[in-house]
Amino acid sequence: MMSQPIKTNLQELEKANPAPFSNQAVENFFEKFTKNGIYFREAAASDATITDVPVANIIGIDQLSCLGTWRSALFGAGTERMSRRLDDLQINPDYYLGCTPKQGIKLLKVNNDYYIKAGKHRCIIAKYLAHFNPECDELKFLRGVEVVTQHIDYLLIDYLALEPLINEIRMQYENLIIISSYSKDHAVPWVTIEHKYSQNFKPIELTRENAKPYLEQLKSGRNAPLEPKSDDSMLKLINVLWQGMWAALRPRS
């Protein structure tokens, strides 16, 4: 451990000389990612590990509560939990120095940034401890905590991006039934298009590979919606008439 005791009177130190990050907002995971259409894959067992986290890279939280700034978080925002954790710090400062796994602390990792999932009061204390004790390298890391690495789910993002386009086509073609369903299986269609009134036209199934280009062409009027189910000559004639009507009546760009 250290030869010199660490400074633990964090609130007094902050009042006298605020940390440079004090007035920065504690970033909210939901507001930053989910609300902006950025989704992550469901974490696998291999994504979780017990490791050391650089406290300077803890920048936000993944909880419903809004912490405001780091300064307001340090002063507890009216809660008693922070006061109890600060009391624990006075009694056992070695807790933050040791490598013993810290139960109940969990962070989500996105690239090189970390977001608090559990154990927010101890994470806040660790961040301020490192700042007010720059000579102590041991405090630069919060040791032995659970970290779950997040991976962007580009497949889900691509699927959700289709919804506005599908809604526009539903309004544009009231005779079509468009059903969308998400699947990670490439062989399973994301979109199925059926004719609302005619049973003589086979449904169209669109996979992740062809859904977007087909829907964009349909919206622009370059695709007739459906084709006949069989090779029956009468249906072929109906289809020719349908294609002709479609060419005459399709939306103009």
Side-chain angles (χ1 to χ4, degrees):
M1 298 298 177
M2 293 182 60
S3 58
Q4 296 292 329
I6 62 174
K7 305 180 187 73
T8 57
N9 55 332
L10 301 180
Q11 291 182 336
E12 290 76 11
L13 292 167
E14 170 64 15
K15 288 177 182 177
N17 187 17
F21 56 81
S22 288
N23 289 323
Q24 295 176 6
V26 181
E27 294 186 10
N28 184 279
F29 189 92
F30 177 84
E31 295 286 336
K32 182 174 182 178
F33 296 110
T34 311
K35 206 169 182 179
N36 288 305
I38 301 173
Y39 299 88
F40 297 89
R41 300 200 306 264
E42 184 177 348
S46 59
D47 294 324
T49 185
I50 303 298
T51 188
D52 301 339
V53 172
V55 295
N57 291 22
I58 300 175
I59 65 169
I61 188 167
D62 180 31
Q63 294 180 5
L64 292 177
S65 59
C66 180
L67 296 180
T69 64
W70 289 101
R71 180 182 176 89
S72 64
L74 176 65
F75 285 93
T79 67
E80 296 181 2
R81 180 70 64 85
M82 178 58 81
S83 296
R84 293 200 298 271
R85 289 299 185 186
L86 288 170
D87 290 341
D88 292 341
L89 172 63
Q90 301 299 325
I91 296 168
N92 183 25
D94 286 350
Y95 173 85
Y96 293 90
L97 293 166
C99 297
T100 304
K102 295 169 177 59
Q103 297 295 325
I105 296 181
K106 181 177 180 179
L107 298 107
L108 305 182
K109 182 181 181 184
V110 180
N111 297 323
N112 291 319
D113 297 327
Y114 295 84
Y115 297 81
I116 306 164
K117 185 72 174 177
K120 63 183 177 185
H121 299 93
R122 284 173 289 171
C123 290
I124 294 163
I125 288 172
K127 193 171 178 74
Y128 274 96
L129 270 177
H131 171 71
F132 287 119
N133 296 277
E135 69 287 347
C136 180
D137 290 338
E138 293 165 282
L139 289 174
K140 293 179 181 178
F141 293 87
L142 187 56
R143 302 185 183 279
V145 298
E146 182 181 0
V147 172
V148 181
T149 301
Q150 303 291 289
H151 302 281
I152 293 177
D153 193 338
Y154 292 104
L155 190 63
L156 178 58
I157 292 172
D158 287 346
Y159 170 78
L160 293 174
L162 295 176
E163 285 302 311
L165 182 57
I166 290 172
N167 290 333
E168 288 184 43
I169 294 171
R170 285 190 179 118
M171 296 179 64
Q172 191 173 352
Y173 303 110
E174 296 182 356
N175 62 331
L176 298 182
I177 299 173
I178 304 177
I179 302 169
S180 60
S181 179
Y182 175 68
S183 174
K184 294 181 179 180
D185 187 341
H186 287 215
V188 176
W190 275 5
V191 180
T192 302
I193 304 176
E194 300 175 356
H195 198 287
K196 187 180 294 185
Y197 304 111
S198 176
Q199 300 301 315
N200 294 323
F201 290 85
K202 61 183 180 182
I204 294 172
E205 293 185 341
L206 305 174
T207 63
R208 59 170 297 196
E209 283 77 16
N210 64 357
K212 184 177 180 181
Y214 186 94
L215 291 171
E216 287 178 339
Q217 288 185 358
L218 182 57
K219 180 177 181 296
S220 68
R222 294 196 298 274
N223 274 341
L226 298 165
E227 297 177 355
K229 278 186 177 179
S230 71
D231 292 332
D232 183 87
S233 59
M234 182 59 69
L235 289 179
K236 283 186 174 182
L237 176 60
I238 291 173
N239 188 49
V240 170
L241 295 173
W242 170 262
Q243 297 289 346
M245 292 174 61
W246 173 253
L249 297 176
R250 70 185 183 184
R252 304 296 180 184
S253 57

